[in-house]
Amino acid sequence: MGHPNQTSSVTPLRAISRAVSFAAFGCLLLGQPPAFAQSASQQQASTTNNRTTNNAAAGFDDETDVSTTPAANGTAATVDETQQRPAIADAQPGDEITGSILDEDMRRLNTREARVDETLPGRRAAESASTAETPGIPLGTFVLRPSVTQSINTETTKDGDTRQRRAFLETDAAATLTSDWGRHQLSVTSEGAWQKNISGEGEEQPSFKINGDLRLDLPQDTVAHLTAGYNFYREDTDDPDAIANATQQSDVQEFSAGASVQRDFGILRGTTALALTRSIYSDATLASGATVTLSDRNQTTGTLRGRVGYELSPALIPFIEATIGRTIYDETRDSAGYERSGHSYGAKAGVEVDLGEKLKGEVGAGYAMADFEDGRLSSIDTATLDASLLWSPIRGTDVNFDLETSIQPSTTAGESGYVSHALTTTVTHQLRDNLVGTMIGGVIWRDYPTDSTINDELVYTAATGLTWNINRYLDLTSTLGYELTTRKDGDDSQQFRAGVGLKLKR
């Protein structure tokens, strides 16, 4: 059923009054919610559309003068009324009448989701007590971080049928001194141990070490290092050069100095280094109280090393390296009449790896040789395989893998020396936020030449330890270690050690 036509019957005076009312009402809309303003706009547009539709249904086209159209109630629509209606219907959403001052997203019921790059950064994990670094002690432009560990230990040594036990106190001190300069850097590290027997028998093993490294950041991608160090230790009774039946072995002092320059030539990286080492041996004390002079072992060694690397990428750099060394003993002939001075040579090829926290280090293979001025001492040569890798399979776990091949000269009469193959693996794992466990395993193969009178030896080491971080400045430590030395000819030797201590750090 059709609807009747509807036309306006508003008089000119009433039309003017209505226009003024609409203008005032539009001003009020500026302070209303956008939904209300939008509703008013839709209502006005709907009214105009209805009028147009009804006119079209009545048979009038757009060009027909609506002022002459008869109304349903007998009143004609005026021109003034017709001119007022489009003024309201044609208003744009941004106008004062129907426009909204709020953002489009605020009018939406389901607001848009933020992009990934707009999300807030994730919260950083709190630093654990085991990894937190102590603030240190400011000293001008340097920061000093010292630590002292006091422990009580027990040790059992078995050499053939001879067994010794001792309990001793050990004081370990360590410190790092690092500069805080805008350019260049100086770092000094030191550590030492002092032992005091409180029961039983056994030789005390004091030690002290200090090393300094001055890094110079030079122009044109050049970095230079100046190093110096001092190392004091007492020879172990299981050392091949140790004096048999000595109650106190020789105290060894080593002085070292070196310089190196590294420069990048685009994809090539060159390094040149020079190292000097001075070794001084004290007398050994026998059980009878007599001393054995070991000054004939005093020596000075110089080594020149050159390396060239090719940067395939910042994470992978193959390299080749060559070394040449010279050893000069203070005395031309030792106590047995042998001339120990000589030369050493080496070359290897390998690759440097740097994958950030996951894996870094280097692996190389090559050849090394040492010869002596005395013709009665045979030369020693060997293939070498060296590696130093730090691997972190998961966060909180670090695996340090070291493999080293070296030639160790001997001072035993008639012996040139031996080749040392040393493998050491250290695993550190953070068991809890303030508890760190450490496991160490290693093996050393002392490979003597075929014409030597000394048989090969194997040294196995295993140790474990726990460190409980009571707070940033105090740790509780515990250690447990075992060492076994096996010989093809002769008695094996064993050593077992356990201890617990407190570490104070600043």
Side-chain angles (χ1 to χ4, degrees):
M1 182 176 181
H3 294 280
N5 295 334
Q6 298 180 359
T7 58
S8 174
S9 61
V10 181
T11 62
L13 180 62
R14 187 177 298 175
I16 295 174
S17 175
R18 182 176 297 177
V20 174
S21 299
F22 275 120
F25 184 70
C27 293
L28 293 176
L29 289 178
L30 296 176
Q32 300 299 323
F36 183 79
Q38 184 177 2
S39 176
S41 176
Q42 292 175 353
Q43 182 176 0
Q44 294 167 6
S46 175
T47 302
T48 304
N49 292 335
N50 286 340
R51 291 194 181 100
T52 304
T53 304
N54 291 335
N55 291 337
F60 300 102
D61 55 22
D62 293 340
E63 297 180 357
T64 303
D65 188 2
V66 295
S67 61
T68 60
T69 302
N73 55 4
T75 304
T78 64
V79 177
D80 292 339
E81 181 182 350
T82 306
Q83 293 174 351
Q84 291 294 335
R85 290 170 184 165
I88 297 175
D90 294 340
Q92 299 300 321
D95 296 338
E96 295 182 357
I97 297 177
T98 60
S100 173
I101 62 173
L102 300 179
D103 188 89
E104 181 184 358
D105 286 343
M106 298 184 66
R107 297 198 303 266
R108 296 182 58 178
L109 296 180
N110 54 336
T111 58
R112 67 187 181 91
E113 292 289 339
R115 297 193 303 268
V116 175
D117 56 356
E118 293 179 346
T119 58
L120 295 176
R123 178 181 295 180
R124 294 182 60 185
E127 192 174 21
S128 64
S130 60
T131 58
E133 191 176 42
T134 56
I137 303 173
L139 297 176
T141 59
F142 292 84
V143 177
L144 176 65
R145 291 184 172 87
S147 66
V148 177
T149 303
Q150 183 62 57
S151 61
I152 182 171
N153 305 267
T154 179
E155 180 184 86
T156 302
T157 303
K158 182 180 180 182
D159 189 358
D161 296 332
T162 304
R163 183 188 299 268
Q164 287 184 335
R165 290 190 179 94
R166 68 173 179 136
F168 61 95
L169 298 176
E170 181 171 331
T171 303
D172 296 275
T176 60
L177 182 66
T178 308
S179 65
D180 189 16
W181 304 336
R183 188 180 181 186
H184 315 303
Q185 185 183 55
L186 174 62
S187 60
V188 180
T189 60
S190 63
E191 59 183 26
W194 175 82
Q195 296 180 356
K196 177 63 177 178
N197 291 343
I198 56 178
S199 68
E201 297 180 353
E203 186 177 2
E204 299 171 350
Q205 296 287 335
S207 64
F208 176 74
K209 179 190 298 184
I210 182 171
N211 291 290
D213 183 0
L214 174 61
R215 189 196 71 217
L216 302 175
D217 302 319
L218 304 178
Q220 299 180 349
D221 297 330
T222 303
V223 178
H225 287 267
L226 300 177
T227 60
Y230 171 77
N231 186 19
F232 168 83
Y233 64 95
R234 182 167 294 167
E235 275 192 327
D236 193 280
T237 55
D238 287 335
D239 191 281
D241 294 329
I243 303 301
N245 301 322
T247 57
Q248 180 174 317
Q249 298 293 336
S250 173
D251 293 334
V252 183
Q253 300 182 76
E254 294 180 349
F255 302 86
S256 62
S260 66
V261 178
Q262 177 179 301
R263 183 173 179 178
D264 290 348
F265 302 89
I267 60 176
L268 295 179
R269 177 179 300 177
T271 303
T272 302
L274 175 64
L276 297 174
T277 304
R278 170 70 175 168
S279 302
I280 300 176
Y281 293 80
S282 69
D283 298 342
T285 304
L286 301 178
S288 61
T291 60
V292 179
T293 302
L294 300 176
S295 59
D296 58 343
R297 296 173 60 183
N298 297 344
Q299 57 179 292
T300 302
T301 301
T303 303
L304 179 63
R305 176 175 62 91
R307 172 182 289 195
V308 177
Y310 181 84
E311 185 176 342
L312 294 177
S313 71
L316 197 63
I317 303 178
F319 68 87
I320 56 174
E321 179 180 294
T323 60
I324 181 173
R326 170 68 169 159
T327 301
I328 301 177
Y329 282 78
D330 292 0
E331 299 181 11
T332 305
R333 296 181 182 272
D334 61 11
S335 58
Y338 290 89
E339 298 182 40
R340 296 287 177 178
S341 299
H343 299 81
S344 61
Y345 310 92
K348 67 178 178 179
V351 60
E352 298 179 23
V353 180
D354 188 354
L355 301 180
E357 296 181 355
K358 280 297 180 184
L359 180 65
K360 63 175 57 179
E362 67 177 50
V363 179
Y367 174 82
M369 182 184 69
D371 57 16
F372 307 92
E373 294 182 355
D374 198 311
R376 294 171 295 176
L377 300 176
S378 59
S379 300
I380 302 175
D381 62 330
T382 181
T384 62
L385 181 61
D386 302 319
S388 179
L389 297 173
L390 179 60
W391 175 45
S392 179
I394 60 176
R395 184 175 296 274
T397 301
D398 294 326
V399 180
N400 196 348
F401 180 85
D402 288 311
L403 177 62
E404 182 182 8
T405 304
S406 60
I407 297 177
Q408 300 293 330
S410 175
T411 57
T412 303
E415 295 293 335
S416 302
Y418 62 92
V419 178
S420 173
H421 305 273
L423 170 64
T424 304
T425 303
T426 303
V427 180
T428 303
H429 179 64
Q430 187 174 344
L431 301 172
R432 300 191 53 160
D433 179 68
N434 60 346
L435 184 63
V436 176
T438 303
M439 296 185 64
I440 301 174
V443 59
I444 300 175
W445 174 28
R446 295 168 180 164
D447 183 15
Y448 287 88
T450 54
D451 59 350
S452 174
T453 59
I454 303 177
N455 293 320
D456 294 351
E457 297 179 347
L458 285 173
V459 181
Y460 303 93
T461 58
T464 183
L466 288 174
T467 301
W468 176 34
N469 303 106
I470 300 175
N471 55 47
R472 178 176 290 187
Y473 306 100
L474 186 64
D475 296 342
L476 177 64
T477 63
S478 62
T479 58
L480 184 66
Y482 176 75
E483 180 179 301
L484 171 64
T485 302
T486 63
R487 303 176 177 89
K488 292 183 178 180
D489 185 13
D491 296 329
D492 297 343
S493 61
Q494 304 177 57
Q495 185 182 80
F496 173 83
R497 178 181 292 186
V500 61
L502 283 175
K503 180 179 181 180
L504 180 64
K505 52 186 179 178
R506 181 70 174 84

